[in-house]
Amino acid sequence: YTKAYIAEMSGDYIPYDTVLTSARMVGGEKGKNGKSLQMGCGEGKTGVLSMAAYSILQQSSKKQVFLTSSTENLAAEALDKIDFYEKVGLADQVVLIDSRGITKPVFENGILKRDGDKKVVFERKDFSEMSPKDIKKDLMTAYKSRLVTSDHVTLMQDAMKGYLPEPKANERELLADEADFVLLDSYRPLQQTEEIAK
């Protein structure tokens, strides 16, 4: 948690107290999950989720975190925190999966590749250019990443198709942005999906 705090402080902004407290509540207490937090727009949810994800992943090298959002655009915002993940040594374990493809940061000689504007370069595998067999293979590999960010619907559908590897007990955590959307009827199949339930 302290390392996550320092890494977040070294970015472009100083986190609000609510961000720090919320991140600790969600990710900093081993074995205590199921928390729900209400935060307004612009209060730093992405920072909370990134710090909480890091804290959870540090509890065990076998831990895996699924970070989901209500839309694909919101899910992609998790990649805005790639500098944070680089500072805590997780950038190479972050992947974005949506209905159109798989996105991962590009590395050269073990270092994040950046363009002329110092922005991180990402590699995108577009499903429209792939065969169903290759899509399934790449998804099954991508879902083994330690930090998977996706939208609720894509994760639900891929779980039901069997693309998520079977986890061992207490190795997988779900952090849901826009949790009010999660509770709607459209999300209920995911709650009943064996792969996620385990």
Side-chain angles (χ1 to χ4, degrees):
Y1 174 75
T2 302
K3 185 177 178 182
Y5 170 69
I6 293 170
E8 189 73 312
M9 287 277 290
S10 65
D12 294 333
Y13 78 102
I14 296 175
Y16 296 118
D17 289 344
T18 52
V19 171
L20 303 175
T21 303
S22 299
R24 186 170 185 194
M25 288 174 65
V26 174
E29 299 179 66
K30 188 173 182 180
K32 295 184 178 179
N33 55 19
K35 291 186 174 67
S36 177
L37 299 170
Q38 175 65 40
M39 296 184 74
C41 184
E43 288 188 339
K45 285 184 291 186
T46 306
V48 168
L49 294 170
S50 59
M51 292 177 71
Y54 169 75
S55 297
I56 290 168
L57 291 171
Q58 291 311 295
Q59 293 172 12
S60 166
S61 61
K62 296 179 180 178
K63 281 279 191 184
Q64 183 184 32
V65 171
F66 284 89
L67 177 56
T68 69
S69 296
S70 57
T71 69
E72 294 185 352
N73 287 339
L74 282 175
E77 285 184 8
L79 297 182
D80 293 342
K81 302 300 289 185
I82 199 66
D83 288 324
F84 168 82
Y85 293 122
E86 180 185 29
K87 288 171 189 163
V88 295
L90 284 174
D92 62 331
Q93 299 173 54
V94 177
V95 63
L96 167 67
I97 301 172
D98 60 32
S99 65
R100 299 178 305 264
I102 301 168
T103 305
K104 297 188 329 188
V106 176
F107 284 81
E108 283 185 347
N109 302 319
I111 299 171
L112 271 176
K113 183 177 180 180
R114 296 177 184 270
D115 62 19
D117 295 325
K118 305 288 185 191
K119 293 183 179 177
V120 174
V121 176
F122 292 92
E123 171 193 27
R124 175 80 173 172
K125 287 191 175 182
D126 191 333
F127 291 154
S128 67
E129 301 169 1
M130 299 168 63
S131 70
K133 182 179 178 182
D134 287 338
I135 291 172
K136 180 177 180 179
K137 179 183 173 186
D138 284 1
L139 277 174
M140 293 186 80
T141 299
Y143 276 119
K144 292 178 183 175
S145 300
R146 291 198 69 208
L147 180 56
V148 177
T149 180
S150 186
D151 60 285
H152 306 321
V153 174
T154 297
L155 182 60
M156 172 188 71
Q157 291 175 344
D158 287 349
M160 294 175 75
K161 291 175 184 174
Y163 294 162
L164 277 67
E166 179 133 353
K168 294 182 181 169
N170 302 317
E171 286 186 2
R172 184 175 284 167
E173 299 281 348
L174 176 68
L175 296 176
D177 188 6
E178 304 285 345
D180 48 348
F181 181 85
V182 176
L183 301 178
L184 296 178
D185 287 347
S186 61
Y187 196 67
R188 284 188 183 170
L190 180 55
Q191 296 170 331
Q192 297 166 9
T193 301
E194 186 177 1
E195 287 84 352
I196 290 292
K198 287 181 180 177

